[in-house]
Amino acid sequence: MLSDVLQRNRDWSARRQAKEPDYFTRLAAQQAPEFFWIGCSDSRVPANVVAGLDPGEVFVHRNVANIVHSSDMNLLSALEFAVEVLAVREIIVCGHYGCGGVKAATEGLPQGLTDHWLEPIRRLARAYAVDLGREPDMEGRSDRLAEFNVVEGVRRVGETPILHRAWARGANCRVHGLIYGLKDGLLRDLDCSIGPGHFNEEGAQ
Ligand code: CO
């Protein structure tokens, strides 16, 4: 019920102010997050909660299956703001095991508009068909695909002119790929981080 939400909000606000009287005035004056989070819309993977971060500590963009579409103006606008105005140091692309969006992409059932949205995941499933075929079951395949989707997202973020511009002017901004386990509440590093060196390597080619 909406009234419950509003009541919870009043309680939360009161508790926060009791702990730190100038909490909201301080936050309202400025946000200076270190992190930009690109994650799934799934209600079980809220960035602040799973990463243990307070309001003001992470700038967030979420969409179905945390897909980095290279022409998604919503994501790109948030990314540009995060990099150029907020000057975040760490960009995190975070997927999760048991992702409904990833599963939907592999089921082959018509889903309407979602089919267009999920196309990059289908493409990854085709490209990594051999690796996915080694998984023992559907759950394993879908979780492995969720990992590939994160790695691909990191790569795509690193390929944006936004990051290339930032690295060219010497910003020490890094992009990381994490995956969250719904069953244990843990974030795992997929070891696909890229930073300014990535730009230099590409530039040297
Ligand atoms: Co999901």
Side-chain angles (χ1 to χ4, degrees):
M1 296 284 285
L2 182 63
S3 56
D4 295 338
V5 170
L6 295 173
Q7 186 55 51
R8 284 191 206 195
N9 163 257
R10 281 191 291 271
D11 295 345
W12 171 76
S13 170
R15 277 197 309 275
R16 275 287 186 178
Q17 288 192 83
K19 237 194 266 179
E20 192 185 336
D22 69 342
Y23 179 75
F24 290 108
T25 34
R26 179 173 59 77
L27 266 188
Q30 164 188 33
Q31 64 164 339
E34 292 271 324
F35 302 97
F36 177 44
W37 175 281
I38 299 170
C40 183
S41 299
D42 193 302
S43 63
R44 297 164 293 182
V45 197
N48 287 77
V49 178
V50 305
L53 296 169
D54 281 327
E57 291 188 318
V58 58
F59 193 63
V60 175
H61 172 90
R62 290 166 71 184
N63 65 48
V64 173
N66 47 272
I67 296 178
V68 178
H69 278 268
S70 303
S71 57
D72 177 359
M73 295 307 286
N74 184 352
L75 189 153
L76 293 174
S77 301
L79 177 67
E80 186 177 78
F81 186 76
V83 170
E84 296 190 359
V85 180
L86 299 174
V88 297
R89 295 288 299 274
E90 319 283 355
I91 296 169
I92 294 168
V93 178
C94 184
H96 67 102
Y97 294 133
C99 182
V102 173
K103 278 186 202 151
T106 56
E107 281 168 355
L109 301 169
Q111 311 268 353
L113 193 53
T114 317
D115 291 328
H116 298 276
W117 181 255
L118 298 174
E119 178 52 29
I121 299 186
R122 273 203 207 85
R123 202 161 49 231
L124 283 175
R126 289 193 293 271
Y128 290 100
V130 175
D131 300 77
L132 296 173
R134 291 196 196 104
E135 297 296 328
D137 52 25
M138 280 300 284
E139 188 184 0
R141 277 194 284 281
S142 147
D143 287 350
R144 191 94 181 90
L145 188 53
E147 293 177 353
F148 287 137
N149 180 42
V150 169
V151 175
E152 175 71 5
V154 168
R155 193 183 64 78
R156 286 191 179 189
V157 169
E159 280 178 352
T160 58
I162 298 165
L163 264 294
H164 282 207
R165 271 201 307 273
W167 287 329
R169 69 169 181 264
N172 186 23
C173 174
R174 297 182 60 77
V175 191
H176 311 278
L178 304 183
I179 195 138
Y180 175 78
L182 292 176
K183 291 178 180 172
D184 60 11
L186 294 176
L187 290 167
R188 293 160 182 79
D189 189 348
L190 290 176
D191 290 323
C192 57
S193 300
I194 54 178
H198 177 73
F199 173 73
N200 293 337
E201 283 157 28
E202 280 198 342
Q205 282 169 7

